[in-house]
Amino acid sequence: MSKLKIGIIGCGGIANQKHFPALKNNADLNEIVAFCDIQIDRAEKAAAEFGAEGAQVTADYRELLANPEVEVVHVCTPNVSHSEITIAAFEAGKHVYCEKPMSHSTEEAEKMVAAWKKSGKQFTIGYQNRFRDEVMNLKKSCDKGELGEIYYGKAHAVRRRAVPTWGVFMDKEAQGGGPLIDIGTHALDITLWCMNNYDVDSVTGSVFYKLGQKENGPEGNLFGPWDPKTFEVEDSAVGFVKMKNGATIGLEASWALNMLDSREASTTLCGTEAGAEIHSGMSYPKNELIYNRARNNQLMEEKLSSVGSIAYFAGGAGEEGTVDNRQWLEAIQNGTEPLVKPEEALAVTKILDAIYKSAKTNETIKF
């Protein structure tokens, strides 16, 4: 089977940290033939390091989409531009992998889904945390019914002080929001996916602008100080999601919050037969999954076994970004569904958007 021809739109942080290494690790399935970034030097650098011979370099995404050689587009741009570029890519007849979140608003995300359905092409969103070992284990357990009816969940995306100080993360016009749609989106995706429940009844939320604009707010930040004058997005947010079957989900997200327990891309699930917690983030030296249940008249806790790695293979093809990328490319080649389905990503966007709207209007948003 011939290699898929990839075009990358946006050659910044997420492209370099995730997409380029993952595509390189799956070089048997693809080659990158086009690079686009409004800062042309970034596209040139990426093409020199990761591109096929003679790869296209451009500052205009329309030129990349007009390239007939490009079959698959990865959209790695700021959130507010996701919809425009993704829709144009479908109209140009390309398959699309769009970085999370799908969009900054429900309206734009729905346009993306409509364009995808019209195109007949493949579409997925960058929720690579699903592919972590402990998340996959929990999903399988939930699907087997081992937790029973899951009626309460918590989506954790809390950083004590880890505000990203590069790029446009604090720019509301470019991003549409802060930690809620940046990291809260991963925690909510994991929680909904494991519960297999996307039927929302209502959402209530609060959004806080407390520490980002304080003069001493940046003290102790993992990524160095930020300028409080340019911190335009929220620094933390919480949401309460009620599903139509009565199940509820609490969501907490922050880049800066005076809380000791820093859990990110994590979930807590409570079922009638057992519960489970994923611990991941700055407070935990390694990711872990803990099941809790009653057995033989005693409360029990069960963890995944620690398995030593073989040095030669460390950091290789088992990394979640690489696994995510491989199943995406294979889905295109085989005509099968990718693991992250557009309708699921749309549900995440709708909930996050509703939290922002609820906080603004001080009302519960009914679905």
Side-chain angles (χ1 to χ4, degrees):
M1 198 172 288
S2 61
K3 292 184 179 183
L4 291 165
K5 305 296 193 294
I6 312 293
I8 304 292
I9 301 177
C11 299
I14 195 64
N16 282 278
Q17 295 165 18
K18 171 183 161 185
H19 290 259
F20 292 146
L23 288 164
K24 184 177 180 179
N25 286 340
N26 291 308
D28 59 314
L29 298 180
N30 81 95
E31 57 180 341
I32 312 176
V33 299
F35 297 79
C36 174
D37 196 284
I38 56 174
Q39 297 181 34
I40 194 69
D41 59 317
R42 297 202 302 194
E44 291 170 343
K45 181 177 182 296
E49 186 172 354
F50 298 102
E53 185 176 353
Q56 178 188 25
V57 175
T58 177
D60 186 344
Y61 77 83
R62 298 170 189 84
E63 291 182 359
L64 184 149
L65 296 181
N67 184 343
E69 190 179 12
V70 174
E71 301 170 280
V72 185
V73 169
H74 285 210
V75 180
C76 306
T77 60
N79 301 335
V80 172
S81 63
H82 285 182
S83 177
E84 175 188 328
I85 297 172
T86 296
I87 291 170
F90 284 131
E91 291 175 346
K94 317 297 185 184
H95 304 285
V96 179
Y97 182 123
C98 179
E99 256 307 322
K100 60 77 191 168
M102 178 181 280
S103 180
H104 65 294
S105 75
T106 298
E107 293 76 15
E108 292 301 318
E110 287 176 336
K111 291 178 186 177
M112 295 165 74
V113 170
W116 158 62
K117 290 182 176 179
K118 186 178 179 180
S119 74
K121 297 297 180 178
Q122 292 276 29
F123 187 24
T124 197
I125 305 298
Y127 287 118
Q128 73 277 357
N129 282 289
R130 290 191 186 189
F131 294 87
R132 289 171 16 213
D133 287 342
E134 72 279 6
V135 177
M136 295 295 287
N137 186 293
L138 177 56
K139 172 61 174 172
K140 290 175 183 176
S141 181
C142 293
D143 287 349
K144 290 178 181 178
E146 292 175 352
L147 271 61
E149 177 194 356
I150 303 171
Y151 55 92
Y152 179 54
K154 289 187 71 176
H156 309 273
V158 172
R159 296 177 183 174
R160 185 179 178 187
R161 287 292 189 286
V163 176
T165 53
W166 61 91
V168 296
F169 280 101
M170 291 178 281
D171 184 338
K172 184 131 187 208
E173 185 177 355
Q175 287 292 89
L180 183 60
I181 60 173
D182 176 42
I183 58 176
T185 190
H186 278 300
L188 182 59
D189 174 68
I190 290 171
T191 304
L192 293 170
W193 185 53
C194 288
M195 292 176 72
N196 192 28
N197 188 349
Y198 293 88
D199 204 2
V200 180
D201 177 68
S202 64
V203 173
T204 306
S206 296
V207 175
F208 302 107
Y209 300 79
K210 300 294 185 181
L211 303 182
Q213 297 174 9
K214 281 176 63 69
E215 285 189 13
N216 65 346
E219 289 186 346
N221 190 52
L222 176 66
F223 303 117
W226 66 82
D227 183 355
K229 296 183 180 65
T230 62
F231 200 116
E232 300 174 351
V233 295
E234 80 278 0
D235 45 63
S236 58
V238 294
F240 181 82
V241 184
K242 187 172 182 180
M243 314 305 282
K244 288 187 178 175
N245 70 347
T248 58
I249 298 171
L251 169 61
E252 53 183 11
S254 74
W255 285 338
L257 187 66
N258 290 323
M259 180 181 288
L260 290 176
D261 188 19
S262 296
R263 293 174 63 179
E264 187 174 342
S266 299
T267 189
T268 297
L269 301 178
C270 303
T272 53
E273 299 300 321
E277 294 191 19
I278 288 177
H279 294 168
S280 174
M282 295 170 67
S283 291
Y284 301 91
K286 65 177 182 178
N287 296 350
E288 60 182 5
L289 168 62
I290 305 171
Y291 291 103
N292 68 85
R293 67 187 84 229
R295 184 173 289 163
N296 301 324
N297 203 34
Q298 289 183 305
L299 297 179
M300 307 286 292
E301 295 178 6
E302 302 166 344
K303 298 183 180 180
L304 293 183
S305 239
S306 294
V307 179
S309 62
I310 300 172
Y312 180 80
F313 294 103
E319 192 271 331
E320 57 264 18
T322 297
V323 178
D324 172 22
N325 183 266
R326 189 166 193 86
Q327 65 83 38
W328 160 240
L329 298 174
E330 288 177 342
I332 296 171
Q333 290 185 331
N334 300 328
T336 55
E337 281 190 311
L339 184 69
V340 181
K341 299 173 180 59
E343 298 92 342
E344 297 168 345
L346 174 60
V348 173
T349 293
K350 285 182 174 180
I351 292 171
L352 299 177
D353 194 18
I355 291 174
Y356 284 121
K357 289 176 180 176
S358 173
K360 186 175 182 179
T361 62
N362 201 29
E363 296 178 350
T364 295
I365 306 299
K366 292 287 290 183
F367 276 55

